[in-house]
Amino acid sequence: HNVALALGHTITGLFIGFSFLTYVSLALIPVVFLVAEYVANTQAGLLWNSVGVLTTIYFLVTMLHLEKILRLQFGDKHLFQQKLAEAVAHNRKADSILNHTLKNIMAD
């Protein structure tokens, strides 16, 4: 169950946060290597295709890592803003209580 959830999150995460053209360029990397091999006629198709696929995998893993970092940064920023708003609200409440206490003391 956890493996399926992690896999689903990873696959969903591939399509969030990056533009469509980024994915198109990733998909075209092996094609470019294959065309370069065909044009150069080096008969090293497996080598060029392997380099293209490995390059694609490298950039895909890098993108996933970057997405994870951005999500963590966004979460931290949101949590900080939430805690700051709570602290300001508590501070205002404490100031109000202190002001009322001082007014009552001064009135006596």
Side-chain angles (χ1 to χ4, degrees):
H1 175 66
N2 289 338
V3 174
L5 184 64
L7 183 61
H9 175 72
T10 301
I11 292 171
T12 304
L14 291 177
F15 301 103
I16 296 174
F18 294 98
S19 76
F20 174 73
L21 292 177
T22 303
Y23 296 108
V24 170
S25 64
L26 275 178
L28 289 178
I29 289 173
V31 174
V32 168
F33 277 100
L34 187 63
V35 169
E37 188 276 328
Y38 179 75
V39 169
N41 198 17
T42 60
Q43 303 299 322
L46 182 61
L47 173 67
W48 282 112
N49 236 358
S50 299
V51 170
V53 169
L54 289 175
T55 304
T56 302
I57 290 171
Y58 169 76
F59 283 122
L60 189 60
V61 168
T62 302
M63 285 173 51
L64 289 175
H65 183 67
L66 177 63
E67 178 194 2
K68 180 181 176 184
I69 290 171
L70 292 176
R71 285 180 187 270
L72 288 174
Q73 184 180 21
F74 176 77
D76 289 345
K77 181 180 176 185
H78 178 70
L79 182 63
F80 172 75
Q81 289 174 345
Q82 182 181 3
K83 294 292 183 184
L84 181 63
E86 289 174 7
V88 168
H90 289 301
N91 192 18
R92 286 185 182 151
K93 185 175 180 181
D95 282 346
S96 176
I97 292 170
L98 182 61
N99 284 339
H100 287 303
T101 303
L102 289 175
K103 283 181 187 177
N104 289 337
I105 290 173
M106 295 298 283
D108 289 340

